[in-house]
Amino acid sequence: MDSGFWYEAGSLLPPVAVGLVFWFVMRALLRSDRNERDAEKAAEKEYRLRHGIDDPDAADGTGTARNSS
């Protein structure tokens, strides 16, 4: 093996590094989006429970208040 091998192997380092950085950034974005959606869903569920609003995924699907007196 002559020194040309190390130049060729070294030339692959920048694209691999950029690919890894891209992968970590995209993974962080997707995880944060998923966590944000879960938090929003939990907050909406808590809001609906506090205000007595039916679940929109209920059987009738009306989403009306339970105690509408």
Side-chain angles (χ1 to χ4, degrees):
M1 289 192 195
D2 65 335
S3 62
F5 170 77
W6 293 111
Y7 287 115
E8 293 168 2
S11 69
L12 294 176
L13 187 60
V16 169
V18 168
L20 285 174
V21 168
F22 177 77
W23 182 73
F24 279 116
V25 168
M26 290 305 295
R27 187 179 80 161
L29 286 171
L30 292 174
R31 284 185 177 187
S32 66
D33 182 56
R34 181 178 61 221
N35 292 338
E36 179 70 23
R37 287 176 189 249
D38 290 343
E40 187 175 347
K41 191 183 299 183
E44 184 173 348
K45 185 176 182 179
E46 182 180 342
Y47 175 82
R48 289 181 175 279
L49 286 174
R50 285 187 182 194
H51 293 286
I53 300 172
D54 285 340
D55 188 14
D57 297 330
D60 61 343
T62 59
T64 59
R66 290 181 197 159
N67 300 328
S68 58
S69 49

